[in-house]
Amino acid sequence: KQEVTQIPAALSVPEGENLVLNCSFTDSAIYNLQWFRQDPGKGLTSLLLIQSSQREQTSGRLNASLDKSSGRSTLYIAASQPGDSATYLCAVSSNTGKLIFGQGTTLQVKP
Amino acid sequence: EAQVTQNPRYLITVTGKKLTVTCSQNMNHEYMSWYRQDPGLGLRQIYYSMNVEVTDKGDVPEGYKVSRKEKRNFPLILESPSPNQTSLYFCASSFRGRGENYGYTFGSGTRLTVV
């Protein structure tokens, strides 16, 4: 059974810092991995999608990497801003299309 | 604008009163799915649909029904809601090609309270 773990569960950093969020999964037979952002009580906003054949994706200050063989992904956020404060969710896709989510990392960026 | 639209955003209802949460997408996606999000349990899949008239159970289907009569719509039906179905519900859709799903778009969520 696929399990997704995100570390750390919570993170507080001063504005301007570069930071890394970690995601690990137990079964390397994934179709893709997607990072989402969720603001309190709100919906999920897709940040980056990495297909199983890809190693990384970049969008602005965000860079996500994928190492299928070791079951790991990282989300790198450069020059963090208070507006980046949110919960970040990692999810892997199975062959039925089901997304299996981690519990998320709650990020607080202090001005 | 490409989006998944859920209605209502907030709903308070009483035990046993049938309700439907609607979901509609304008991206011509084949794949649609419902999730519920609960504190400490994260997001769990309720039902999914690979295409019109094709639906299947997810991890927590008990107490829910779905239908997919049109490609754009995927309503979630609670025939007899109970308090343990109080949750935040999300609808999602995805383009599906060559057996893979290409990224998911989520709706804004429906916060359901059953008293």
Side-chain angles (χ1 to χ4, degrees):
Chain A
K1 178 185 173 185
Q2 178 75 272
E3 292 182 1
V4 180
T5 303
Q6 292 187 245
I7 294 173
L11 183 62
S12 181
V13 300
E15 182 176 4
E17 272 206 6
N18 302 322
L19 57 100
V20 175
L21 307 182
N22 296 293
C23 172
S24 62
F25 45 95
T26 54
D27 185 350
S28 62
I30 65 171
Y31 279 70
N32 55 52
L33 183 145
Q34 198 164 358
W35 283 93
F36 295 90
R37 167 187 172 138
Q38 186 176 29
D39 293 289
K42 304 287 187 182
L44 280 69
T45 301
S46 178
L47 298 173
L48 289 164
L49 169 70
I50 311 178
Q51 297 294 347
S52 59
S53 58
Q54 297 174 324
R55 297 280 295 184
E56 67 176 340
Q57 283 288 330
T58 298
S59 176
R61 296 183 292 108
L62 305 179
N63 175 277
S65 68
L66 174 63
D67 184 341
K68 268 185 59 174
S69 60
S70 67
R72 293 181 181 180
S73 176
T74 61
L75 179 66
Y76 175 82
I77 302 177
S80 58
Q81 303 170 358
D84 294 330
S85 298
T87 296
Y88 291 81
L89 294 161
C90 162
V92 298
S93 175
S94 70
N95 60 341
T96 66
K98 179 171 70 175
L99 285 174
I100 299 106
F101 285 86
Q103 291 288 331
T105 295
T106 299
L107 171 66
Q108 182 183 32
V109 181
K110 297 179 179 178
Chain B
E1 179 188 355
Q3 59 186 1
V4 176
T5 303
Q6 292 178 231
N7 280 297
R9 290 292 311 278
Y10 302 92
L11 180 59
I12 300 174
T13 190
V14 297
T15 299
K17 185 177 181 181
K18 181 180 179 179
L19 67 91
T20 300
V21 183
T22 64
C23 174
S24 180
Q25 50 92 6
N26 62 0
M27 296 165 282
N28 202 35
H29 284 170
E30 296 86 0
Y31 185 94
M32 297 186 75
S33 182
W34 279 99
Y35 291 83
R36 62 178 288 175
Q37 186 176 33
D38 302 288
L41 296 175
L43 281 137
R44 295 175 293 168
Q45 190 184 55
I46 304 170
Y47 267 95
Y48 66 96
S49 170
M50 295 274 198
N51 215 321
V52 176
E53 301 291 1
V54 181
T55 63
D56 209 345
K57 297 176 181 178
D59 295 323
V60 288
E62 295 77 20
Y64 304 95
K65 284 176 57 177
V66 293
S67 68
R68 188 90 181 274
K69 294 184 171 61
E70 305 166 284
K71 197 171 188 179
R72 64 183 290 123
N73 296 322
F74 191 46
L76 179 69
I77 303 158
L78 285 71
E79 293 271 1
S80 183
S82 62
N84 65 11
Q85 293 179 296
T86 293
S87 186
L88 181 57
Y89 291 85
F90 290 105
C91 181
S93 73
S94 171
F95 169 69
R96 188 167 174 87
R98 290 182 296 179
E100 295 189 23
N101 284 44
Y102 288 85
Y104 295 79
T105 301
F106 277 75
S108 299
T110 295
R111 185 167 293 282
L112 172 65
T113 302
V114 184
V115 298

